[in-house]
Amino acid sequence: SQTIHQWPATLVQPVGSPLSLECTVEGTSNPNLYWYRQAAGRGLQLLFYSVGIGQISSEVPQNLSASRPQDRQFILSSKKLLLSDSGFYLCAWTRQAFNEKLFFGSGTQLSVL
Amino acid sequence: DAKTTQPNSMESNEEEPVHLPCNHSTISGTDYIHWYRQLPSQGPEYVIHGLTSNVNNRMASLAIAEDRKSSTLILHRATLRDAAVYYCILRDNQAGTALIFGKGTTLSVSS
């Protein structure tokens, strides 16, 4: 069966510090991968998605970047965190086919202080 | 992008049916209607999806209007564990493979 791992579960970082969140998927190959963010009391905002290694689409221009160095690994990064980067970050995947379900990780609660 | 409109919040009592509405008047002919729900402090989970016909699974039922401009997620007997944010989403082909979430409906269930 397929599983998605996301870590860490919680993270407290000072303003201006770097960020690296990692997500890996097991049990499938060539998945579509996604990063979403949810600010407190808000809906889900799509940040990045990837259909293959090295292929990243950005939905919202901001202080963050994403990379996909391996087929089942998706990394969210920032060189210098802002207060507004605080939120609940979710990684998700789907199969490479039309109309497939999204499977989400358990999320990372990031607090930038 | 095809958009969906949902009420911000709804309330229900335990053991009663719940009908969660969603309007999607700009839906295209090939857009599927997906529903997800998000429990507190968790990632969303898939509930159900459909194209034209009504759909049933172990979690819920999906009723789709004949003109496809609206749909309703039906929880037949609400439990306290059904308290969550419910998202109605259209599979947006123009955006490639991305799924765009709205603000959803926050369902409260009382005992």
Side-chain angles (χ1 to χ4, degrees):
Chain A
S1 63
Q2 300 85 16
T3 55
I4 178 169
H5 301 280
Q6 190 181 341
W7 66 92
T10 59
L11 190 60
V12 180
Q13 293 284 98
V15 170
S17 65
L19 173 73
S20 181
L21 301 180
E22 188 163 344
C23 171
T24 59
V25 180
E26 295 179 356
T28 189
S29 59
N30 200 27
N32 292 331
L33 296 171
Y34 307 81
W35 279 111
Y36 286 87
R37 177 174 64 194
Q38 189 170 36
R42 306 287 294 276
L44 283 163
Q45 179 186 34
L46 177 64
L47 301 176
F48 302 95
Y49 70 95
S50 170
V51 299
I53 295 174
Q55 301 179 60
I56 309 294
S57 296
S58 175
E59 290 295 305
V60 182
Q62 56 204 315
N63 187 41
L64 303 170
S65 62
S67 61
R68 184 170 178 175
Q70 300 180 41
D71 179 45
R72 290 169 290 173
Q73 183 184 30
F74 206 22
I75 298 172
L76 184 70
S77 304
S78 174
K79 292 182 179 178
K80 289 186 178 181
L81 284 169
L82 305 172
L83 288 174
S84 57
D85 291 323
S86 294
F88 190 46
Y89 287 82
L90 288 155
C91 181
W93 74 275
T94 67
R95 291 186 178 86
Q96 283 269 12
F98 175 68
N99 196 40
E100 285 293 322
K101 306 170 192 176
L102 262 176
F103 297 94
F104 282 85
S106 54
T108 295
Q109 184 64 53
L110 172 66
S111 298
V112 183
L113 305 176
Chain B
D1 293 348
K3 304 288 187 191
T4 63
T5 304
Q6 299 176 255
N8 289 333
S9 61
M10 292 186 65
E11 297 180 354
S12 177
N13 295 317
E14 248 188 322
E15 304 296 318
E16 291 184 356
V18 181
H19 290 235
L20 298 164
C22 181
N23 288 321
H24 29 79
S25 58
T26 60
I27 190 171
S28 73
T30 55
D31 281 343
Y32 279 74
I33 302 157
H34 283 237
W35 284 81
Y36 287 77
R37 73 177 186 181
Q38 186 177 20
L39 301 173
S41 301
Q42 296 187 27
E45 63 175 344
Y46 167 83
V47 177
I48 200 167
H49 77 275
L51 182 64
T52 56
S53 303
N54 294 344
V55 184
N56 300 292
N57 66 20
R58 64 175 181 82
M59 291 181 71
S61 296
L62 176 60
I64 301 172
E66 193 169 341
D67 64 6
R68 298 202 340 117
K69 293 185 176 181
S70 66
S71 61
T72 302
L73 180 71
I74 302 166
L75 307 179
H76 296 285
R77 292 179 64 188
T79 70
L80 295 178
R81 290 178 296 177
D82 290 324
V85 179
Y86 287 79
Y87 298 98
C88 168
I89 303 151
L90 300 182
R91 198 70 172 146
D92 188 345
N93 291 328
Q94 292 185 0
T97 60
L99 269 178
I100 309 298
F101 284 74
K103 294 184 179 179
T105 296
T106 299
L107 175 66
S108 303
V109 180
S110 303
S111 58

